Amino acid sequence: MLAIGEFSRLTHLSVRTLRRYHDAGLLEPATVDQATGYRYYSPEQIPTAQVVHRLRELDVPLADVRRILRSPDPVTRAGLVADHLQRLESELARTRAAVASLRRLLAPEPSPVEVELRALPATTVAAVEDDVAHADVLAWYSGATAELEAVVDAPSGAPGGLYDNALFEHGRGHVLVHLPTDRPPRVGRVRPVTLPAVELAVATHVGEHGDIDVTYGELGAWVVANALAVAGPVRETYLVGPRDTPDPTAWRTEIGWPVFRVAAG
Amino acid sequence: MLAIGEFSRLTHLSVRTLRRYHDAGLLEPATVDQATGYRYYSPEQIPTAQVVHRLRELDVPLADVRRILRSPDPVTRAGLVADHLQRLESELARTRAAVASLRRLLAPEPSPVEVELRALPATTVAAVEDDVAHADVLAWYSGATAELEAVVDAPSGAPGGLYDNALFEHGRGHVLVHLPTDRPPRVGRVRPVTLPAVELAVATHVGEHGDIDVTYGELGAWVVANALAVAGPVRETYLVGPRDTPDPTAWRTEIGWPVFRVAAG
DNA sequence: GCTGGACCCTCCCCCCGGGGGAGGGTGCAC
DNA sequence: GTGCACCCTCCCCCGGGGGGAGGGTCCAGC
């Protein structure tokens, strides 16, 4: 039996941290003296402590560490660990994108964005829609478009999406992806939806989506400068995307912001 | 002039976050109405907001973001950004090491570690020592050994280190690296130091240092099982290291824990 | 001019995973 | 039996947000 200080020395986890892990139900001492509250660990717990240490180095949340340790089945366990490695991987991709985008932002090129005002009539499209968290948008989007493309046989234009402002302001909001077609079917999640007529301020974003808020910003500045106000969810149209070419510099995304005239300009 | 909600929509930063950035002095509104406290932003601030957004995606602390934004000189600014990318890089290396180590930990191999008790006489060595934070140990170590190796011309053995337990328990502690030699010089930070005689429980760690606490743990379990207690800083000896061969599987590190007998076993 | 609703303000509490330190009880070797 | 290292709980702090209360403000429509 090892007192907490000794166990700390053997595992290179601080006494504080060991106590916290006990409270969190992660690494329960083999014995706790009822009278004094002293925690006593057994040497067999050292490997467990080391696994915890590694998982924490990988920023696995304590709750997930507990889940991993409690799963008796090594296959389940390996699956949970693999999930986290997957998460780290996508985190890394996000970081890479942010680095690239930062470089472009700090590059001295001004990259003027052209904005055009366009009146759009109401259209009926095949659509999938849902309330989605910001972090899940990408995954949701790929699932929804895959379903759309599987169901719509003769699309009459490029796919698009509508994104509620709440998605960016509150991290969660209504999202709709659609594919224009003459006869929108009603299969699985796919439904015919009529998008209302709007006046759009439209700018075209060139390149990766990691930079897209730059174009959003330019579009927004233009909208403000032209005494317009934003009304309703933003509309994106994916003219050229990863489906069409692997070369990101060829990608084209139209961003359309529904606007109305503020006062009498 | 844009109210905070509108600016939020244009930058995809939440209203809350914008207020926080104001408080932190990161992104001050162009105007603040003295009477009402209302924040008003100018469209020119959109690009700044986007740079902040990118930096935060890279987990750059707010204080550093402020520093980057305030540095007028683009060269300084690029340097600060590069520093952070460097930090991300080393973070990535750490993650990779943790992943590899976790895989090995979860591998079904028991990898029995052999432990031996060894009495060591007092020795005088050439040493560099200091109080170091845990996070800085690696950097400090490479600097100190480089200095040692530059100054000691005829080492009589492998380099070693002494690591205070406080380093692991409290994140900061006394560290000493040394090179055994017949005539220890007194140059720069290098000093002759006499290491006291000790009885050591010794185990040899094979492979990368990312796993070294596993061997620490096995050594500790052995020490406990043999009714010994730990006394004083751990001693590592780098028999084969990165200086000798790039192949990590060939590396050999002796870990020696000063021990004394507990009670009459 | 008034009213309603959207917008904005400050302030406090919560999350995570730790660290610092106070104030007090315990184990054990001398 | 005494000193001291060790252990306990409890509270506050950090950074970078989110939730929500309670209250003031802007402005369009009537």
Side-chain angles (χ1 to χ4, degrees):
Chain A
M1 281 302 124
L2 303 158
I4 197 168
E6 210 162 353
F7 195 69
S8 158
R9 245 163 278 140
L10 297 181
T11 58
H12 292 173
L13 290 164
S14 80
V15 170
R16 282 203 113 79
T17 300
L18 286 172
R19 285 202 269 253
R20 181 173 306 274
Y21 289 173
H22 178 195
D23 293 345
L26 266 194
L27 194 61
E28 321 244 354
T31 321
V32 177
D33 188 314
Q34 293 292 28
T36 66
Y38 274 37
R39 298 169 177 86
Y40 293 99
Y41 296 82
S42 94
E44 285 80 45
Q45 298 187 279
I46 295 175
T48 308
Q50 286 169 343
V51 170
V52 174
H53 200 168
R54 286 297 179 288
L55 292 173
R56 285 299 308 139
E57 280 183 325
L58 298 175
D59 287 325
V60 176
L62 291 189
D64 295 11
V65 174
R66 184 171 49 224
R67 211 165 298 143
I68 291 172
L69 292 180
R70 294 228 174 131
S71 73
D73 172 16
V75 176
T76 316
R77 191 184 303 215
L80 286 168
V81 171
D83 285 353
H84 277 291
L85 297 185
Q86 189 64 38
R87 201 170 310 173
L88 286 176
E89 202 64 36
S90 64
E91 188 69 14
L92 180 60
R94 200 183 61 87
T95 300
R96 263 199 272 267
V99 168
S101 169
L102 181 62
R103 279 197 218 286
R104 276 186 295 260
L105 263 181
L106 296 181
E109 291 173 53
S111 72
V113 169
E114 288 186 18
V115 182
E116 145 193 20
L117 216 51
R118 187 186 303 170
L120 222 65
T123 356
T124 300
V125 294
V128 174
E129 54 186 321
D130 205 350
D131 263 40
V132 180
H134 194 208
D136 304 334
V137 164
L138 249 77
W140 182 89
Y141 174 85
S142 57
T145 42
E147 194 167 341
L148 268 177
E149 283 173 1
V151 161
V152 176
D153 25 66
S156 58
L162 271 74
Y163 302 91
D164 196 0
N165 273 318
L167 185 65
F168 309 108
E169 285 180 60
H170 306 299
R172 177 166 207 94
H174 198 75
V175 180
L176 179 153
V177 294
H178 65 84
L179 208 50
T181 178
D182 294 338
R183 296 171 307 281
R186 182 183 294 270
V187 183
R189 293 183 291 170
V190 178
R191 293 281 174 279
V193 169
T194 301
L195 305 177
V198 280
E199 186 154 18
L200 287 183
V202 177
T204 300
H205 175 73
V206 175
E208 300 186 33
H209 274 206
D211 292 337
I212 205 162
D213 56 352
V214 174
T215 308
Y216 266 87
E218 309 238 17
L219 179 56
W222 184 90
V223 165
V224 169
N226 286 270
L228 297 167
V230 172
V234 69
R235 302 193 179 194
E236 295 186 355
T237 309
Y238 309 105
L239 302 178
V240 183
R243 298 162 300 114
D244 307 304
T245 164
D247 174 20
T249 62
W251 297 350
R252 295 289 181 276
T253 306
E254 257 183 24
I255 305 172
W257 223 321
V259 289
F260 63 93
R261 213 157 282 283
V262 172
Chain B
M1 280 301 125
L2 302 160
I4 197 169
E6 211 161 355
F7 195 69
S8 157
R9 244 163 278 143
L10 298 181
T11 57
H12 293 173
L13 290 164
S14 80
V15 170
R16 282 202 113 78
T17 301
L18 286 172
R19 284 203 270 252
R20 183 174 305 275
Y21 290 173
H22 179 196
D23 293 346
L26 265 194
L27 193 61
E28 320 244 356
T31 322
V32 177
D33 187 315
Q34 292 292 29
T36 67
Y38 275 34
R39 297 168 177 86
Y40 294 99
Y41 296 82
S42 94
E44 286 80 47
Q45 297 187 279
I46 294 175
T48 310
Q50 287 169 342
V51 170
V52 174
H53 199 170
R54 287 296 178 288
L55 292 172
R56 286 299 306 139
E57 280 183 324
L58 298 176
D59 287 325
V60 176
L62 291 189
D64 294 12
V65 173
R66 186 172 45 227
R67 210 164 299 140
I68 290 172
L69 291 179
R70 295 230 174 128
S71 71
D73 173 16
V75 177
T76 315
R77 189 183 304 214
L80 287 167
V81 172
D83 285 354
H84 277 290
L85 297 185
Q86 188 65 38
R87 201 171 308 173
L88 286 176
E89 202 64 37
S90 64
E91 188 69 14
L92 179 60
R94 200 183 60 89
T95 299
R96 264 199 271 267
V99 168
S101 169
L102 181 62
R103 279 195 217 287
R104 276 186 295 262
L105 262 183
L106 296 182
E109 292 174 53
S111 71
V113 169
E114 289 186 18
V115 182
E116 142 192 25
L117 217 51
R118 187 186 302 170
L120 221 67
T123 357
T124 299
V125 294
V128 174
E129 55 186 319
D130 205 349
D131 263 40
V132 180
H134 193 206
D136 304 334
V137 163
L138 248 77
W140 181 87
Y141 174 86
S142 56
T145 41
E147 192 166 344
L148 268 177
E149 282 172 3
V151 160
V152 175
D153 26 66
S156 57
L162 273 74
Y163 302 91
D164 196 359
N165 273 318
L167 186 64
F168 309 108
E169 286 180 59
H170 306 298
R172 175 165 209 94
H174 198 76
V175 179
L176 178 154
V177 293
H178 64 86
L179 207 48
T181 178
D182 293 339
R183 296 171 308 283
R186 183 182 294 271
V187 183
R189 292 184 291 170
V190 178
R191 293 282 175 279
V193 169
T194 300
L195 305 177
V198 279
E199 186 155 17
L200 288 183
V202 177
T204 302
H205 174 74
V206 175
E208 299 186 33
H209 274 206
D211 291 337
I212 204 160
D213 55 353
V214 174
T215 308
Y216 265 87
E218 309 238 16
L219 179 57
W222 184 91
V223 164
V224 170
N226 286 271
L228 297 167
V230 172
V234 67
R235 301 194 180 194
E236 295 185 355
T237 310
Y238 309 105
L239 301 178
V240 182
R243 299 163 297 113
D244 307 305
T245 164
D247 174 19
T249 63
W251 296 351
R252 296 290 180 276
T253 306
E254 257 183 22
I255 305 172
W257 224 323
V259 290
F260 63 92
R261 211 157 283 279
V262 173

